[in-house]
Amino acid sequence: MSAEDKVKATAKNIEGKAQEALGNVTGDPEDQAKGKAKQAEASGRHAVEDAKDNIKKAID
């Protein structure tokens, strides 16, 4: 996983956690859902990059 992609995915996860927490504090289910969606997107990005790394290791 490139360092840049890892940072972007981690930032997206943090953004999602913050938005979900805001939704929890304010009682806004839309913010909660958007925050969870951002966290899921970040998790997906990590999975894709991990798969790329594993393929690269297998080829090398």
Side-chain angles (χ1 to χ4, degrees):
M1 175 178 228
S2 76
E4 182 180 343
D5 290 337
K6 186 173 184 175
V7 169
K8 285 180 180 180
T10 301
K12 180 64 80 171
N13 188 42
I14 292 168
E15 179 184 354
K17 285 180 186 266
Q19 188 167 10
E20 181 183 7
L22 176 66
N24 289 337
V25 169
T26 62
D28 185 352
E30 185 176 342
D31 271 340
Q32 292 171 341
K34 286 181 180 179
K36 287 181 182 181
K38 287 179 182 178
Q39 290 175 64
E41 179 185 345
S43 182
R45 286 184 185 185
H46 278 294
V48 167
E49 292 303 322
D50 287 345
K52 287 181 187 177
D53 287 345
N54 290 335
I55 290 169
K56 184 177 179 186
K57 286 178 188 176
I59 291 173
D60 292 342

